[in-house]
Coordinates of all heavy atoms in Angstrom, one line a residue:
M1054 N 0.8 -1.2 0.0 CA 0.0 0.0 0.0 C 0.9 1.2 0.0 O 2.0 1.2 0.6 CB -0.9 0.0 1.2 CG -2.1 -0.8 1.1 SD -3.3 -0.3 2.3 CE -3.9 -1.9 2.8
Q1055 N 0.3 2.3 -0.6 CA 1.0 3.5 -0.6 C 0.6 4.3 0.6 O -0.3 4.0 1.3 CB 0.6 4.3 -1.9 CG 1.1 3.7 -3.2 CD 0.7 4.5 -4.4 OE1 -0.2 5.3 -4.3 NE2 1.3 4.2 -5.5
P1056 N 1.4 5.4 0.9 CA 0.9 6.2 2.1 C -0.5 6.7 1.9 O -0.9 7.0 0.8 CB 1.9 7.4 2.0 CG 3.1 6.9 1.2 CD 2.6 5.8 0.3
G1057 N -1.2 6.7 3.0 CA -2.6 7.1 2.9 C -3.6 5.9 2.7 O -4.7 6.1 2.5
G1058 N -3.0 4.7 2.7 CA -3.9 3.5 2.6 C -4.3 3.1 1.2 O -5.2 2.3 1.0
E1059 N -3.7 3.7 0.2 CA -4.1 3.4 -1.2 C -3.3 2.2 -1.7 O -2.1 2.0 -1.3 CB -3.8 4.6 -2.1 CG -4.6 5.8 -1.8 CD -4.3 7.0 -2.7 OE1 -3.7 6.8 -3.7 OE2 -4.6 8.1 -2.3
F1060 N -3.9 1.5 -2.6 CA -3.2 0.3 -3.2 C -2.2 0.8 -4.3 O -2.5 1.7 -5.0 CB -4.2 -0.6 -3.9 CG -5.1 -1.4 -2.9 CD1 -6.4 -1.1 -2.8 CD2 -4.5 -2.3 -2.1 CE1 -7.2 -1.8 -1.9 CE2 -5.3 -3.0 -1.2 CZ -6.7 -2.8 -1.1
D1061 N -1.1 0.1 -4.3 CA -0.1 0.3 -5.4 C -0.4 -0.7 -6.5 O 0.0 -1.8 -6.4 CB 1.3 0.1 -4.9 CG 2.4 0.5 -5.9 OD1 2.0 0.6 -7.1 OD2 3.5 0.6 -5.5
I1062 N -1.2 -0.2 -7.5 CA -1.7 -1.1 -8.5 C -0.6 -1.7 -9.3 O -0.7 -2.8 -9.8 CB -2.8 -0.4 -9.4 CG1 -3.5 -1.4 -10.3 CG2 -2.1 0.7 -10.2 CD1 -4.4 -2.3 -9.5
Q1063 N 0.5 -0.9 -9.5 CA 1.6 -1.4 -10.3 C 2.3 -2.6 -9.6 O 2.7 -3.6 -10.2 CB 2.6 -0.3 -10.6 CG 2.1 0.7 -11.6 CD 3.1 1.8 -11.9 OE1 4.0 2.1 -11.1 NE2 3.0 2.4 -13.1
Q1064 N 2.4 -2.5 -8.3 CA 3.0 -3.6 -7.5 C 2.1 -4.8 -7.5 O 2.6 -5.9 -7.7 CB 3.2 -3.1 -6.0 CG 3.9 -4.2 -5.2 CD 4.0 -3.8 -3.7 OE1 3.5 -2.7 -3.3 NE2 4.7 -4.6 -2.9
L1065 N 0.8 -4.6 -7.4 CA -0.1 -5.6 -7.5 C -0.1 -6.3 -8.8 O -0.1 -7.6 -8.9 CB -1.6 -5.1 -7.2 CG -2.7 -6.1 -7.2 CD1 -2.5 -7.1 -6.0 CD2 -4.0 -5.3 -7.1
M1066 N 0.0 -5.6 -9.9 CA 0.1 -6.2 -11.2 C 1.4 -7.0 -11.4 O 1.4 -8.0 -12.0 CB -0.1 -5.1 -12.3 CG -1.5 -4.4 -12.4 SD -2.8 -5.6 -12.8 CE -2.3 -5.9 -14.5
A1067 N 2.5 -6.4 -10.9 CA 3.7 -7.1 -11.0 C 3.7 -8.5 -10.3 O 4.2 -9.5 -10.8 CB 4.9 -6.2 -10.5
Q1068 N 3.1 -8.5 -9.1 CA 3.0 -9.7 -8.3 C 2.1 -10.7 -9.0 O 2.4 -11.9 -9.0 CB 2.5 -9.4 -6.9 CG 3.5 -8.8 -6.0 CD 3.0 -8.6 -4.6 OE1 1.8 -8.3 -4.4 NE2 3.9 -8.7 -3.6
A1069 N 1.0 -10.2 -9.6 CA 0.1 -11.1 -10.3 C 0.8 -11.7 -11.5 O 0.6 -12.9 -11.8 CB -1.2 -10.3 -10.8
Q1070 N 1.6 -11.0 -12.2 CA 2.3 -11.5 -13.4 C 3.4 -12.5 -13.0 O 3.5 -13.5 -13.6 CB 3.0 -10.3 -14.2 CG 2.0 -9.5 -15.0 CD 2.7 -8.3 -15.6 OE1 3.8 -7.9 -15.3 NE2 2.0 -7.7 -16.6
Q1071 N 4.0 -12.3 -11.8 CA 5.0 -13.2 -11.3 C 4.3 -14.5 -10.9 O 4.8 -15.6 -11.2 CB 5.7 -12.6 -10.1 CG 6.7 -11.5 -10.4 CD 7.3 -10.9 -9.2 OE1 6.8 -11.1 -8.1 NE2 8.4 -10.1 -9.4
M1072 N 3.2 -14.4 -10.3 CA 2.4 -15.6 -9.9 C 2.0 -16.4 -11.1 O 2.0 -17.6 -11.1 CB 1.3 -15.2 -9.0 CG 0.6 -16.4 -8.3 SD -0.7 -15.9 -7.2 CE 0.3 -15.1 -5.9
Q1073 N 1.5 -15.7 -12.1 CA 1.0 -16.3 -13.4 C 2.2 -17.0 -14.0 O 2.0 -18.2 -14.5 CB 0.4 -15.3 -14.3 CG -0.1 -15.9 -15.6 CD -0.7 -14.9 -16.5 OE1 -0.4 -13.7 -16.4 NE2 -1.5 -15.4 -17.5
A1074 N 3.4 -16.4 -14.1 CA 4.5 -17.0 -14.7 C 4.9 -18.3 -13.9 O 5.3 -19.3 -14.5 CB 5.7 -16.1 -14.8
A1075 N 4.9 -18.2 -12.6 CA 5.3 -19.4 -11.8 C 4.3 -20.5 -12.0 O 4.6 -21.7 -12.0 CB 5.3 -18.9 -10.3
M1076 N 3.0 -20.1 -12.1 CA 1.9 -21.1 -12.3 C 2.1 -21.8 -13.6 O 2.1 -23.1 -13.7 CB 0.6 -20.5 -12.2 CG -0.6 -21.5 -12.4 SD -0.9 -22.5 -10.9 CE -1.8 -21.3 -9.9
M1077 N 2.4 -21.1 -14.7 CA 2.6 -21.7 -16.0 C 3.8 -22.6 -16.0 O 3.8 -23.6 -16.6 CB 2.7 -20.5 -17.0 CG 1.4 -19.8 -17.3 SD 1.5 -18.4 -18.4 CE 2.1 -19.2 -19.9
A1078 N 4.9 -22.2 -15.3 CA 6.1 -23.0 -15.3 C 5.8 -24.3 -14.5 O 6.3 -25.4 -15.0 CB 7.3 -22.2 -14.6
A1079 N 5.1 -24.2 -13.4 CA 4.8 -25.4 -12.7 C 3.9 -26.3 -13.5 O 4.1 -27.5 -13.5 CB 4.0 -25.0 -11.4
Q1080 N 2.9 -25.8 -14.2 CA 2.0 -26.6 -15.1 C 2.8 -27.3 -16.2 O 2.6 -28.5 -16.5 CB 0.9 -25.8 -15.7 CG -0.1 -25.4 -14.6 CD -1.1 -24.4 -15.2 OE1 -0.9 -23.6 -16.1 NE2 -2.3 -24.4 -14.6
Q1081 N 3.8 -26.6 -16.8 CA 4.6 -27.2 -17.8 C 5.5 -28.3 -17.2 O 5.6 -29.4 -17.8 CB 5.5 -26.2 -18.5 CG 6.3 -26.7 -19.6 CD 7.0 -25.6 -20.4 OE1 7.0 -24.5 -20.0 NE2 7.7 -26.0 -21.4
E1082 N 6.0 -28.1 -16.0 CA 6.8 -29.1 -15.4 C 6.0 -30.3 -15.1 O 6.4 -31.5 -15.3 CB 7.4 -28.5 -14.1 CG 8.3 -29.5 -13.3 CD 8.8 -29.0 -12.0 OE1 8.8 -27.7 -11.8 OE2 9.2 -29.8 -11.1
I1083 N 4.8 -30.1 -14.6 CA 3.9 -31.2 -14.3 C 3.6 -32.0 -15.6 O 3.6 -33.3 -15.6 CB 2.6 -30.7 -13.6 CG1 2.9 -30.2 -12.2 CG2 1.5 -31.8 -13.6 CD1 1.8 -29.4 -11.6
A1084 N 3.3 -31.3 -16.7 CA 2.9 -32.0 -17.9 C 4.1 -32.9 -18.4 O 3.8 -33.9 -19.1 CB 2.5 -31.0 -19.0
Q1085 N 5.3 -32.5 -18.1 CA 6.4 -33.3 -18.6 C 6.9 -34.4 -17.6 O 7.7 -35.2 -18.0 CB 7.6 -32.3 -18.9 CG 7.4 -31.4 -20.0 CD 8.5 -30.3 -20.1 OE1 9.3 -30.2 -19.3 NE2 8.4 -29.6 -21.2
S1086 N 6.3 -34.4 -16.4 CA 6.7 -35.3 -15.4 C 6.1 -36.7 -15.7 O 5.0 -36.8 -16.3 CB 6.2 -34.9 -14.0 OG 6.9 -33.7 -13.7
E1087 N 6.8 -37.7 -15.3 CA 6.3 -39.1 -15.4 C 6.2 -39.7 -13.9 O 7.0 -39.4 -13.1 CB 7.3 -40.0 -16.2 CG 7.4 -39.5 -17.6 CD 8.4 -40.3 -18.4 OE1 8.9 -41.3 -17.9 OE2 8.7 -39.9 -19.5
V1088 N 5.1 -40.5 -13.7 CA 4.9 -41.1 -12.5 C 4.6 -42.6 -12.7 O 4.2 -43.0 -13.8 CB 3.7 -40.5 -11.7 CG1 4.1 -39.1 -11.2 CG2 2.5 -40.4 -12.5
E1089 N 4.7 -43.4 -11.7 CA 4.5 -44.8 -11.8 C 3.5 -45.2 -10.7 O 3.4 -44.6 -9.7 CB 5.8 -45.6 -11.6 CG 5.7 -47.0 -11.9 CD 7.0 -47.7 -11.9 OE1 7.8 -47.5 -12.9 OE2 7.4 -48.4 -10.9
G1090 N 2.7 -46.3 -11.1 CA 1.8 -46.9 -10.1 C 2.0 -48.4 -10.2 O 2.4 -48.9 -11.3
E1091 N 1.6 -49.1 -9.2 CA 1.8 -50.5 -9.2 C 0.6 -51.2 -8.5 O -0.1 -50.6 -7.7 CB 3.1 -51.0 -8.6 CG 3.3 -50.6 -7.2 CD 4.6 -51.2 -6.6 OE1 5.7 -50.9 -7.2 OE2 4.6 -51.9 -5.6
A1092 N 0.5 -52.5 -8.8 CA -0.6 -53.3 -8.1 C 0.0 -54.7 -7.9 O 0.9 -55.1 -8.6 CB -1.8 -53.3 -8.9
G1093 N -0.6 -55.4 -7.0 CA -0.2 -56.8 -6.8 C 1.2 -56.9 -6.3 O 2.0 -57.8 -6.6
G1094 N 1.6 -55.9 -5.5 CA 3.0 -55.9 -4.9 C 4.1 -55.8 -6.0 O 5.1 -56.3 -5.9
G1095 N 3.7 -55.0 -7.0 CA 4.7 -54.7 -8.1 C 4.6 -55.7 -9.3 O 5.4 -55.6 -10.2
L1096 N 3.6 -56.6 -9.2 CA 3.5 -57.6 -10.4 C 3.0 -56.8 -11.6 O 3.3 -57.3 -12.7 CB 2.5 -58.7 -10.0 CG 3.0 -59.6 -8.9 CD1 1.8 -60.6 -8.5 CD2 4.2 -60.4 -9.3
V1097 N 2.3 -55.8 -11.5 CA 1.8 -55.0 -12.6 C 2.3 -53.5 -12.3 O 2.0 -53.0 -11.2 CB 0.3 -55.0 -12.8 CG1 -0.1 -54.1 -13.9 CG2 -0.1 -56.5 -13.1
R1098 N 3.0 -52.9 -13.2 CA 3.4 -51.5 -13.1 C 3.0 -50.7 -14.3 O 3.1 -51.2 -15.4 CB 4.9 -51.5 -13.0 CG 5.5 -52.1 -11.8 CD 7.0 -52.0 -11.8 NE 7.6 -52.7 -10.6 CZ 7.8 -52.2 -9.5 NH1 7.5 -50.9 -9.3 NH2 8.3 -52.9 -8.5
A1099 N 2.5 -49.5 -14.0 CA 2.1 -48.6 -15.1 C 2.9 -47.3 -14.9 O 3.1 -46.8 -13.8 CB 0.6 -48.3 -15.0
R1100 N 3.4 -46.8 -16.0 CA 4.2 -45.5 -16.1 C 3.4 -44.6 -17.0 O 3.1 -44.9 -18.1 CB 5.6 -45.7 -16.6 CG 6.4 -44.5 -16.5 CD 7.9 -44.9 -16.5 NE 8.8 -43.8 -16.0 CZ 8.9 -43.4 -14.8 NH1 8.1 -43.9 -13.8 NH2 9.7 -42.4 -14.4
I1101 N 3.1 -43.4 -16.4 CA 2.3 -42.4 -17.2 C 2.9 -41.1 -17.0 O 3.7 -40.8 -16.1 CB 0.8 -42.4 -16.7 CG1 0.7 -41.8 -15.2 CG2 0.1 -43.7 -16.8 CD1 -0.7 -41.5 -14.8
R1102 N 2.5 -40.2 -18.0 CA 2.8 -38.8 -17.8 C 1.8 -38.2 -16.9 O 0.7 -38.7 -16.8 CB 2.7 -38.0 -19.1 CG 3.8 -38.3 -20.1 CD 3.9 -37.2 -21.1 NE 4.6 -37.6 -22.3 CZ 5.9 -37.9 -22.4 NH1 6.7 -37.8 -21.3 NH2 6.5 -38.3 -23.5
A1103 N 2.1 -37.2 -16.2 CA 1.2 -36.6 -15.2 C -0.1 -36.1 -15.9 O -1.1 -35.8 -15.3 CB 1.8 -35.4 -14.4
T1104 N -0.1 -35.9 -17.3 CA -1.2 -35.5 -18.0 C -2.2 -36.7 -18.2 O -3.3 -36.5 -18.7 CB -0.8 -35.0 -19.4 OG1 -0.1 -36.0 -20.1 CG2 0.0 -33.7 -19.3
G1105 N -1.8 -37.9 -17.9 CA -2.6 -39.1 -18.1 C -2.3 -40.0 -19.2 O -2.8 -41.1 -19.3
E1106 N -1.3 -39.6 -20.0 CA -0.9 -40.4 -21.2 C -0.1 -41.6 -20.6 O 0.9 -41.5 -19.9 CB 0.1 -39.6 -22.1 CG 0.6 -40.4 -23.2 CD 1.7 -39.6 -24.0 OE1 2.0 -38.5 -23.6 OE2 2.2 -40.2 -25.0
V1107 N -0.6 -42.8 -21.0 CA 0.1 -44.1 -20.6 C 1.3 -44.3 -21.4 O 1.3 -44.3 -22.6 CB -0.9 -45.3 -20.7 CG1 -0.1 -46.6 -20.3 CG2 -2.1 -45.1 -19.8
L1108 N 2.5 -44.4 -20.7 CA 3.8 -44.6 -21.4 C 4.2 -46.1 -21.5 O 4.7 -46.5 -22.5 CB 4.9 -43.8 -20.7 CG 4.6 -42.3 -20.6 CD1 5.7 -41.6 -19.8 CD2 4.6 -41.7 -22.0
S1109 N 3.9 -46.8 -20.4 CA 4.3 -48.2 -20.4 C 3.5 -49.0 -19.4 O 3.0 -48.4 -18.4 CB 5.8 -48.4 -20.1 OG 6.1 -48.1 -18.8
L1110 N 3.4 -50.3 -19.7 CA 2.7 -51.2 -18.8 C 3.5 -52.4 -18.7 O 3.8 -53.1 -19.8 CB 1.3 -51.5 -19.3 CG 0.4 -52.4 -18.5 CD1 0.1 -51.8 -17.2 CD2 -0.9 -52.8 -19.2
T1111 N 3.9 -52.8 -17.5 CA 4.8 -54.0 -17.3 C 4.0 -55.0 -16.5 O 3.5 -54.7 -15.4 CB 6.1 -53.6 -16.6 OG1 6.7 -52.6 -17.3 CG2 7.0 -54.8 -16.5
I1112 N 3.9 -56.2 -17.0 CA 3.2 -57.3 -16.3 C 4.2 -58.5 -16.1 O 4.8 -59.0 -17.0 CB 2.0 -57.8 -17.2 CG1 1.0 -56.6 -17.4 CG2 1.3 -59.0 -16.5 CD1 -0.1 -56.9 -18.4
D1113 N 4.3 -58.8 -14.8 CA 5.2 -60.0 -14.5 C 4.5 -61.2 -15.0 O 3.3 -61.5 -14.8 CB 5.3 -60.0 -12.9 CG 6.4 -61.0 -12.5 OD1 6.3 -62.2 -13.0 OD2 7.2 -60.7 -11.7
P1114 N 5.3 -62.1 -15.8 CA 4.7 -63.3 -16.4 C 4.0 -64.2 -15.4 O 3.1 -64.9 -15.7 CB 5.9 -64.0 -17.0 CG 6.9 -62.9 -17.3 CD 6.7 -61.9 -16.1
K1115 N 4.5 -64.2 -14.1 CA 3.8 -65.1 -13.2 C 2.4 -64.7 -12.8 O 1.7 -65.5 -12.2 CB 4.7 -65.3 -11.9 CG 5.0 -64.1 -11.1 CD 6.0 -64.5 -10.0 CE 6.8 -63.3 -9.6 NZ 7.8 -63.5 -8.6
V1116 N 2.0 -63.5 -13.1 CA 0.6 -63.2 -12.8 C -0.4 -63.5 -14.0 O -1.6 -63.4 -13.9 CB 0.5 -61.7 -12.5 CG1 0.6 -60.8 -13.7 CG2 -0.8 -61.4 -11.7
V1117 N 0.2 -63.9 -15.1 CA -0.6 -64.2 -16.3 C -1.1 -65.7 -16.2 O -0.3 -66.6 -16.3 CB 0.2 -64.0 -17.6 CG1 -0.6 -64.4 -18.8 CG2 0.7 -62.6 -17.7
D1118 N -2.4 -65.8 -16.0 CA -3.1 -67.1 -15.9 C -4.3 -67.0 -16.9 O -5.2 -66.3 -16.6 CB -3.5 -67.3 -14.5 CG -4.2 -68.6 -14.3 OD1 -4.4 -69.4 -15.3 OD2 -4.7 -68.9 -13.2
P1119 N -4.2 -67.8 -18.0 CA -5.3 -67.8 -18.9 C -6.7 -68.1 -18.3 O -7.7 -67.8 -18.8 CB -4.9 -68.8 -20.0 CG -3.5 -69.1 -19.8 CD -3.1 -68.7 -18.4
E1120 N -6.6 -68.8 -17.2 CA -7.9 -69.2 -16.5 C -8.4 -68.2 -15.6 O -9.5 -68.3 -15.1 CB -7.6 -70.5 -15.7 CG -7.1 -71.7 -16.5 CD -8.1 -72.2 -17.6 OE1 -9.3 -72.2 -17.3 OE2 -7.7 -72.4 -18.7
D1121 N -7.6 -67.1 -15.4 CA -8.0 -66.1 -14.4 C -7.7 -64.7 -15.0 O -6.9 -63.9 -14.5 CB -7.3 -66.3 -13.1 CG -7.9 -65.3 -12.0 OD1 -8.9 -64.6 -12.3 OD2 -7.2 -65.2 -11.0
V1122 N -8.3 -64.3 -16.1 CA -8.1 -63.0 -16.8 C -8.6 -61.9 -15.9 O -8.1 -60.8 -15.9 CB -8.7 -63.0 -18.2 CG1 -8.6 -61.7 -18.8 CG2 -8.1 -64.1 -19.0
D1123 N -9.6 -62.1 -15.1 CA -10.2 -61.1 -14.3 C -9.2 -60.5 -13.3 O -9.2 -59.3 -13.1 CB -11.5 -61.6 -13.5 CG -12.6 -61.9 -14.4 OD1 -12.7 -61.3 -15.5 OD2 -13.5 -62.7 -14.0
T1124 N -8.4 -61.3 -12.7 CA -7.4 -60.9 -11.8 C -6.4 -60.0 -12.5 O -6.1 -58.9 -11.9 CB -6.7 -62.0 -11.0 OG1 -7.7 -62.7 -10.3 CG2 -5.6 -61.5 -10.1
L1125 N -6.0 -60.4 -13.6 CA -5.0 -59.6 -14.4 C -5.6 -58.2 -14.7 O -5.0 -57.2 -14.6 CB -4.5 -60.3 -15.6 CG -3.6 -59.6 -16.5 CD1 -2.3 -59.2 -15.7 CD2 -3.2 -60.4 -17.7
Q1126 N -6.9 -58.2 -15.2 CA -7.5 -57.0 -15.5 C -7.6 -56.1 -14.3 O -7.4 -54.9 -14.4 CB -8.9 -57.3 -16.1 CG -8.9 -57.9 -17.5 CD -10.2 -58.4 -17.9 OE1 -11.1 -58.7 -17.1 NE2 -10.4 -58.5 -19.2
D1127 N -8.0 -56.6 -13.2 CA -8.1 -55.8 -11.9 C -6.7 -55.3 -11.6 O -6.6 -54.1 -11.1 CB -8.6 -56.7 -10.8 CG -10.1 -57.1 -10.9 OD1 -10.8 -56.4 -11.7 OD2 -10.5 -58.0 -10.2
L1128 N -5.6 -56.0 -11.7 CA -4.3 -55.5 -11.4 C -3.9 -54.4 -12.4 O -3.3 -53.4 -11.9 CB -3.3 -56.7 -11.5 CG -3.4 -57.7 -10.4 CD1 -2.4 -58.9 -10.7 CD2 -3.1 -57.1 -9.0
V1129 N -4.2 -54.5 -13.6 CA -3.9 -53.4 -14.6 C -4.7 -52.2 -14.2 O -4.1 -51.1 -14.2 CB -4.2 -53.9 -16.0 CG1 -4.2 -52.7 -17.0 CG2 -3.3 -55.0 -16.5
I1130 N -5.9 -52.3 -13.9 CA -6.7 -51.1 -13.5 C -6.2 -50.5 -12.2 O -6.0 -49.3 -12.1 CB -8.2 -51.5 -13.3 CG1 -8.8 -51.8 -14.7 CG2 -9.0 -50.4 -12.6 CD1 -10.2 -52.5 -14.7
G1131 N -5.8 -51.4 -11.3 CA -5.2 -50.9 -10.0 C -3.9 -50.1 -10.2 O -3.7 -49.1 -9.6
A1132 N -3.1 -50.6 -11.1 CA -1.8 -50.0 -11.4 C -2.0 -48.6 -12.1 O -1.4 -47.6 -11.7 CB -0.9 -50.8 -12.3
L1133 N -3.0 -48.6 -13.0 CA -3.3 -47.3 -13.7 C -3.9 -46.3 -12.7 O -3.5 -45.1 -12.7 CB -4.2 -47.6 -14.9 CG -3.5 -48.3 -16.1 CD1 -4.6 -48.7 -17.1 CD2 -2.5 -47.4 -16.7
N1134 N -4.8 -46.8 -11.9 CA -5.4 -45.9 -10.9 C -4.3 -45.3 -9.9 O -4.4 -44.2 -9.5 CB -6.5 -46.6 -10.2 CG -7.8 -46.7 -11.0 OD1 -8.0 -45.9 -12.0 ND2 -8.6 -47.6 -10.7
A1135 N -3.4 -46.2 -9.5 CA -2.4 -45.8 -8.6 C -1.5 -44.7 -9.3 O -1.1 -43.7 -8.6 CB -1.5 -47.0 -8.1
A1136 N -1.2 -44.9 -10.5 CA -0.4 -44.0 -11.3 C -1.1 -42.6 -11.4 O -0.5 -41.6 -11.2 CB 0.0 -44.5 -12.6
M1137 N -2.4 -42.7 -11.6 CA -3.2 -41.4 -11.7 C -3.2 -40.7 -10.4 O -3.1 -39.5 -10.3 CB -4.6 -41.7 -12.2 CG -4.7 -42.1 -13.7 SD -4.0 -40.9 -14.8 CE -5.1 -39.5 -14.6
E1138 N -3.3 -41.4 -9.3 CA -3.3 -40.8 -8.0 C -2.0 -40.2 -7.7 O -1.9 -39.1 -7.2 CB -3.6 -41.9 -6.9 CG -5.0 -42.3 -6.8 CD -5.2 -43.4 -5.7 OE1 -4.4 -43.5 -4.8 OE2 -6.2 -44.2 -5.9
N1139 N -0.9 -40.8 -8.1 CA 0.5 -40.2 -8.0 C 0.6 -39.0 -8.8 O 1.2 -38.0 -8.4 CB 1.5 -41.3 -8.3 CG 1.6 -42.4 -7.3 OD1 1.2 -42.2 -6.2 ND2 2.2 -43.5 -7.7
A1140 N 0.0 -39.0 -10.0 CA 0.0 -37.8 -10.9 C -0.7 -36.6 -10.2 O -0.3 -35.5 -10.2 CB -0.5 -38.1 -12.2
Q1141 N -1.9 -36.9 -9.6 CA -2.7 -35.9 -8.9 C -1.9 -35.3 -7.7 O -1.9 -34.1 -7.5 CB -4.0 -36.4 -8.5 CG -4.9 -36.7 -9.7 CD -6.2 -37.4 -9.3 OE1 -6.4 -37.9 -8.2 NE2 -7.1 -37.5 -10.3
Q1142 N -1.2 -36.2 -7.0 CA -0.5 -35.8 -5.8 C 0.7 -34.9 -6.3 O 1.0 -33.9 -5.7 CB 0.1 -37.0 -5.0 CG 0.8 -36.6 -3.8 CD -0.2 -35.8 -2.8 OE1 -1.3 -36.2 -2.5 NE2 0.3 -34.7 -2.3
L1143 N 1.4 -35.3 -7.4 CA 2.5 -34.5 -7.9 C 2.0 -33.1 -8.3 O 2.6 -32.1 -7.9 CB 3.0 -35.1 -9.2 CG 4.1 -34.3 -9.9 CD1 5.4 -34.3 -9.2 CD2 4.3 -34.9 -11.3
A1144 N 0.8 -33.0 -8.9 CA 0.2 -31.7 -9.3 C -0.1 -30.9 -8.0 O 0.2 -29.7 -8.0 CB -1.0 -31.9 -10.2
A1145 N -0.7 -31.5 -7.1 CA -1.0 -30.8 -5.8 C 0.2 -30.3 -5.1 O 0.2 -29.2 -4.6 CB -1.8 -31.8 -4.9
D1146 N 1.3 -31.1 -5.1 CA 2.5 -30.7 -4.5 C 3.2 -29.5 -5.2 O 3.7 -28.6 -4.5 CB 3.5 -31.9 -4.4 CG 3.1 -33.0 -3.5 OD1 2.2 -32.8 -2.7 OD2 3.7 -34.1 -3.6
R1147 N 3.1 -29.5 -6.5 CA 3.8 -28.5 -7.3 C 2.9 -27.2 -7.3 O 3.5 -26.1 -7.3 CB 4.0 -28.9 -8.7 CG 5.0 -30.1 -8.8 CD 6.4 -29.6 -8.9 NE 7.5 -30.5 -8.7 CZ 7.7 -31.7 -9.2 NH1 6.7 -32.2 -10.0 NH2 8.7 -32.5 -8.9
L1148 N 1.6 -27.4 -7.4 CA 0.7 -26.2 -7.5 C 0.3 -25.7 -6.2 O -0.2 -24.5 -6.1 CB -0.5 -26.5 -8.4 CG -0.1 -26.8 -9.9 CD1 -1.4 -27.2 -10.6 CD2 0.5 -25.6 -10.5
G1149 N 0.3 -26.5 -5.1 CA -0.2 -26.1 -3.8 C 0.4 -24.8 -3.3 O -0.4 -24.0 -2.9
P1150 N 1.7 -24.7 -3.3 CA 2.3 -23.4 -2.8 C 1.8 -22.2 -3.6 O 1.6 -21.1 -3.0 CB 3.8 -23.6 -2.9 CG 4.0 -25.1 -2.9 CD 2.7 -25.6 -3.6
L1151 N 1.6 -22.4 -4.9 CA 1.2 -21.3 -5.7 C -0.3 -20.9 -5.4 O -0.7 -19.8 -5.3 CB 1.4 -21.6 -7.2 CG 2.8 -21.8 -7.6 CD1 2.9 -22.3 -9.1 CD2 3.6 -20.5 -7.5
A1152 N -1.1 -22.0 -5.3 CA -2.5 -21.8 -5.0 C -2.7 -21.2 -3.6 O -3.6 -20.3 -3.4 CB -3.3 -23.1 -5.2
G1153 N -1.8 -21.6 -2.7 CA -1.9 -21.0 -1.3 C -1.6 -19.6 -1.3 O -2.1 -18.8 -0.5
G1154 N -0.8 -19.1 -2.3 CA -0.5 -17.7 -2.3 C -1.6 -16.8 -2.8 O -1.7 -15.7 -2.4
L1155 N -2.6 -17.4 -3.4 CA -3.7 -16.6 -3.9 C -4.6 -16.1 -2.7 O -5.1 -15.0 -2.8 CB -4.6 -17.5 -4.9 CG -3.9 -17.8 -6.2 CD1 -4.8 -18.7 -7.0 CD2 -3.6 -16.5 -7.0
G1156 N -4.8 -17.0 -1.8 CA -5.6 -16.6 -0.7 C -4.9 -16.4 0.6 O -5.4 -16.0 1.6
G1157 N -3.6 -16.6 0.6 CA -2.8 -16.5 1.8 C -2.1 -15.2 2.0 O -1.1 -15.1 2.7
G1158 N -2.6 -14.1 1.4 CA -2.1 -12.8 1.6 C -0.9 -12.5 0.8 O -0.1 -11.5 1.1
A1159 N -0.6 -13.2 -0.3 CA 0.5 -12.9 -1.1 C 0.3 -11.6 -1.9 O 1.3 -10.9 -2.2 CB 0.8 -14.1 -2.1
L1160 N -0.9 -11.3 -2.2 CA -1.2 -10.1 -2.8 C -1.7 -9.1 -1.8 O -2.6 -9.3 -1.0 CB -2.4 -10.3 -3.9 CG -2.0 -11.2 -5.0 CD1 -3.3 -11.4 -5.9 CD2 -0.9 -10.7 -5.8
P1161 N -1.1 -7.9 -1.8 CA -1.4 -6.9 -0.7 C -2.9 -6.6 -0.8 O -3.4 -6.3 -1.8 CB -0.5 -5.7 -1.1 CG 0.2 -6.0 -2.4 CD -0.1 -7.4 -2.7
G1162 N -3.4 -6.5 0.4 CA -4.8 -6.1 0.5 C -5.8 -7.2 0.3 O -7.0 -6.9 0.4
F1163 N -5.4 -8.4 0.1 CA -6.3 -9.5 -0.2 C -6.2 -10.5 0.9 O -5.2 -10.8 1.5 CB -6.1 -10.1 -1.5 CG -6.5 -9.2 -2.7 CD1 -5.6 -8.4 -3.3 CD2 -7.8 -9.1 -3.1 CE1 -5.9 -7.6 -4.3 CE2 -8.2 -8.3 -4.1 CZ -7.2 -7.5 -4.7

């Protein structure tokens, strides 16, 4: 604030631009990040980008039973869901401090 209790709009705009740049950088970093999820004690592993793109799926041969396809399907789904949870946690970890700044008094007068 300026003397007399007035807002310094230029300072406010500069802080908003810095926050926007930091947010964009964090989003780009998240989009390029890869995370992994697993199921069945590591018998099935899925590697994805934090954007949700599946990069790889690894299945241990000992879990492949032609008589029990349902279990394998459940393990694949579990690994993919675990990877998505890890991607969401990565995004929350990276964006959390920035989002906290929006309501946490990072901008003067708010």
